[in-house]
Amino acid sequence: MRTFLPIAAVLGVLAAVPFVVHSNVTLNFLVAALMFALVGQGWNILGGYGGQYSFGHAAFFGTGAYVTAILQVRYGVNAWFGFAAGIAAGAALGGALGALVFRAGLRGSYFALVTLAFAEVLRIIASVAPVTGAGVGTLIKLELGMRTFQFQSRAAFYWIILALVGLSLVIARLIERSRFGAWLIAVRENEDAARALGVDASAVKSIAMVVSAAITAAAGCFYAQYFLFIDSGIAYGTWISVEALLTPIIGGVGTVFGPLLGALVVKTLGEGAKLVAGDAPGLDLIIYGAVLVLVIWTMPRGLIGGLTHVRKLLAQRGATVVPAGEVRGG
């Protein structure tokens, strides 16, 4: 249980925020940051631990969002059941895509391009299909209540997305400490060597894809319930795939807390850039991009990797200073 104490501590601190902060603007900011942390953790399971860099995680995000929205709007399904169905649909899509690409032996840039193309195909289909509302999109009726997953208070949404992020942190920690996690990392480091040792690399990557897709689909389901509207550009747009990549890369790829830290930093930088730039068009994006490039350049292993490196350097300095003091004292 000691393994999960850091997760419990972080979640405990974050859970107390609505009791201190009552501004809806701040809570909206934190809800969005946590949602991107969830998307980033989904990508991190596959890309960070498994080394399979996907450029099309919008496919799973959009599928989760559309399934939960369509079930409610067109079939009157309970929102909570629709939420669960959206996650299941995302996981099933991940399993199907994984079975196709990994059995075909696609790796590296080929895998990345296939995932990107897959998300784009889904976007085009959603933009013309009647069931998705085509170009108009799907609007969920505003009807406050527990059954409809709609709450007056932003704090309720905040705690729900925080619970989902907490679950994703636990999943990442369990993978990290499990035999499956060891196989996944072995595949990431050297797939051919892992196969030679008896690891079924295709099966390991496929399972990671299913878990990754389910977590990302959960973020899509939450998006639909929070904003009550979804269209093809939102659901399957490249913006979500970029966010999925960016948050773990900034925070620390292949780490439990990397996506969460990265999401908070990325969202804070984005809002800070807007405040600094004021009304100057495009200047906020220039500032935002420059800061992100600086962070990646100075800390290529992400913020967590950079902090770990600094801690090791301080520990090494302490180890060398103490004996020298003892010699002088003698």
Side-chain angles (χ1 to χ4, degrees):
M1 294 300 294
R2 188 177 299 175
T3 302
F4 300 100
L5 286 179
I7 296 175
V10 169
L11 293 179
V13 171
L14 292 177
V17 169
F19 295 109
V20 180
V21 177
H22 303 289
S23 168
N24 281 337
V25 174
T26 303
L27 289 177
N28 281 332
F29 166 80
L30 291 173
V31 166
L34 289 174
M35 184 178 66
F36 290 129
L38 188 61
V39 173
Q41 191 68 268
W43 186 92
N44 190 45
I45 298 296
L46 182 66
Y49 291 105
Q52 310 304 307
Y53 278 36
S54 164
F55 286 176
H57 259 53
F60 312 127
F61 180 91
T63 297
Y66 265 123
V67 167
T68 188
I70 290 170
L71 286 177
Q72 292 176 75
V73 173
R74 295 188 176 273
Y75 302 103
V77 173
N78 179 282
W80 296 90
F81 178 80
F83 199 104
I87 295 174
L93 183 66
L97 181 59
L100 288 173
V101 298
F102 294 137
R103 294 298 177 185
L106 297 181
R107 306 185 195 176
S109 58
Y110 295 103
F111 172 76
L113 290 173
V114 166
T115 56
L116 177 63
F118 188 72
E120 185 63 13
V121 167
L122 290 178
R123 186 192 65 79
I124 294 172
I125 293 173
S127 67
V128 297
V131 71
T132 63
V136 178
T138 300
L139 178 67
I140 300 176
K141 182 181 178 181
L142 177 62
E143 188 178 350
L144 296 177
M146 179 66 72
R147 179 184 177 276
T148 57
F149 204 108
Q150 297 178 24
F151 310 99
Q152 184 70 40
S153 171
R154 288 290 179 265
F157 286 107
Y158 174 84
W159 283 318
I160 290 172
I161 190 63
L162 180 62
L164 291 172
V165 170
L167 180 59
S168 74
L169 293 174
V170 171
I171 291 172
R173 179 68 79 189
L174 289 173
I175 289 175
E176 199 174 67
R177 300 302 176 105
S178 68
R179 180 175 296 181
F180 170 75
W183 293 340
L184 192 58
I185 293 172
V187 170
R188 179 191 69 190
E189 297 301 322
N190 192 322
E191 185 171 332
D192 293 329
R195 289 181 185 276
L197 293 173
V199 176
D200 188 344
S202 297
V204 168
K205 291 188 291 185
S206 294
I207 294 172
M209 176 78 98
V210 170
V211 176
S212 175
I215 294 173
T216 308
C221 295
F222 180 85
Y223 182 97
Q225 294 300 149
Y226 189 67
F227 292 101
L228 301 179
F229 176 76
I230 197 79
D231 66 13
S232 59
I234 294 172
Y236 295 117
T238 54
W239 71 277
I240 194 64
S241 295
V242 172
E243 293 285 353
L245 278 160
L246 198 58
T247 53
I249 288 175
I250 295 296
V253 172
T255 62
V256 173
F257 291 103
L260 176 57
L261 178 60
L264 292 172
V265 169
V266 167
K267 292 300 292 181
T268 301
L269 285 176
E271 294 302 318
K274 291 178 182 178
L275 290 175
V276 172
D279 296 330
L283 183 59
D284 60 325
L285 297 178
I286 295 174
I287 297 173
Y288 176 56
V291 173
L292 287 180
V293 169
L294 180 63
V295 170
I296 295 174
W297 180 47
T298 56
M299 289 179 281
R301 295 176 58 193
L303 294 171
I304 289 181
L307 292 174
T308 302
H309 181 66
V310 170
R311 188 176 62 183
K312 288 181 179 179
L313 289 177
L314 293 176
Q316 289 174 358
R317 286 186 179 182
T320 55
V321 169
V322 171
E326 292 176 352
V327 171
R328 287 194 297 270

